[in-house]
Amino acid sequence: MSTQAFEIQLYEKLNQFFFEHDYLLMVDKKQYRKITSSGFLNVIFTCTSYENEILLDVNIGCRNEKIEQIAQQYLGNSRDYWGDANTFVISIGKFNDSKNFRYKIQTDSDLDDVCEEVRSFMLTHGFEFLETHSSLGAINRMFNATPKLSCKYVYNQSHRRFKGLIASKLVNDENFRDLFEKHQRGLIFSVAPEEELQKFDRLMGFLMYVSDN
């Protein structure tokens, strides 16, 4: 089955469910998205077609507009991507600490089972997690509670450090300066390029004069 044909079947099976929870399909971005006052929440589907099977990865994510409007100026992403960037994103498999992050689909029955798993996950964990972790305060805690450790809810740990610093400033975290030093050490420890370290310094210089009030 081609990727396009598979996606059509997938969306047909999930459209009503997500619509009932105010998530609308964005076919060109391969996701369902719910617009919020602070940005958006989304569920992203990425499939890879092989001769006899399709592997499907399902990610849930959140964009906080205040964080991304600052962060994207320092992260080196293409400008075409800036408006769609997630602040955090995690696959269902990783969320559940599963060794297999992707679903393997070979038959129509497999697809039905996967759709049921997705619906069940969103009802028991996904929707609530996204709603309760989309605020600046929640993101600050997510990114900054343990700055010395990797954050489970992002794929790029360097980007997490930039966004974590921004979040701490926007909520007026009393540990802002200390977090800068810890995240800076984390970048150095991960052997970040000199250009990235310079951008982190410039971000700090900018944030020193930013107020969310």
Side-chain angles (χ1 to χ4, degrees):
M1 179 187 297
S2 69
T3 298
Q4 184 177 20
F6 171 80
E7 289 174 344
I8 291 173
Q9 288 191 27
L10 176 69
Y11 299 146
E12 285 178 345
K13 293 178 180 293
L14 292 175
N15 275 342
Q16 185 61 33
F17 171 75
F18 279 105
F19 178 76
E20 290 172 355
H21 291 85
D22 301 320
Y23 283 72
L24 300 181
L25 176 62
M26 303 182 72
V27 176
D28 58 324
K29 303 182 189 302
K30 302 182 186 300
Q31 64 184 256
Y32 290 93
R33 181 179 292 187
K34 178 180 179 178
I35 303 301
T36 69
S37 60
S38 60
F40 62 69
L41 313 175
N42 58 358
V43 183
I44 309 164
F45 297 86
T46 306
C47 60
T48 306
S49 178
Y50 295 95
E51 184 176 352
N52 297 315
E53 65 183 18
I54 286 180
L55 296 182
L56 176 67
D57 194 11
V58 185
N59 283 267
I60 62 172
C62 163
R63 175 187 176 89
N64 184 282
E65 194 67 32
K66 289 184 177 180
I67 292 176
E68 295 305 322
Q69 284 293 333
I70 299 173
Q72 291 305 314
Q73 299 178 58
Y74 294 89
L75 298 180
N77 293 322
S78 168
R79 279 185 173 272
D80 292 340
Y81 172 76
W82 285 15
D84 293 311
N86 279 72
T87 304
F88 66 79
V89 62
I90 183 172
S91 72
I92 291 179
K94 188 176 181 181
F95 187 98
N96 290 326
D97 296 319
S98 172
K99 293 182 179 180
N100 299 314
F101 285 4
R102 296 187 292 180
Y103 298 103
K104 182 184 295 186
I105 300 167
Q106 296 177 315
T107 67
D108 290 342
S109 179
D110 290 339
L111 178 57
D112 288 336
D113 291 342
V114 167
C115 288
E116 182 55 35
E117 285 191 41
V118 170
R119 286 189 288 264
S120 177
F121 170 80
M122 294 305 300
L123 289 173
T124 57
H125 299 291
F127 289 132
E128 181 180 7
F129 177 82
L130 291 176
E131 294 286 350
T132 57
H133 288 78
S134 61
S135 69
L136 282 171
I139 294 171
N140 181 51
R141 291 188 292 272
M142 177 187 291
F143 287 172
N144 296 321
T146 55
K148 293 182 179 180
L149 303 177
S150 295
C151 177
K152 177 178 179 179
Y153 302 100
V154 296
Y155 289 106
N156 189 314
Q157 295 301 318
S158 293
H159 287 191
R160 167 270 187 117
R161 296 190 182 282
F162 279 77
K163 296 178 183 184
L165 186 64
I166 295 167
S168 71
K169 178 61 178 181
L170 292 179
V171 299
N172 296 313
D173 192 319
E174 61 182 11
N175 297 313
F176 170 67
R177 291 177 181 272
D178 182 54
L179 284 167
F180 166 72
E181 294 178 358
K182 289 179 177 178
H183 283 312
Q184 184 182 54
R185 286 198 294 271
L187 289 171
I188 294 172
F189 182 77
S190 65
V191 196
E194 182 62 28
E195 180 183 4
E196 189 168 51
L197 294 174
Q198 292 174 0
K199 287 181 178 179
F200 196 67
D201 283 338
R202 291 201 299 271
L203 172 62
M204 179 60 173
F206 171 76
L207 292 175
M208 290 293 292
Y209 299 97
V210 168
S211 172
D212 193 40
N213 298 319

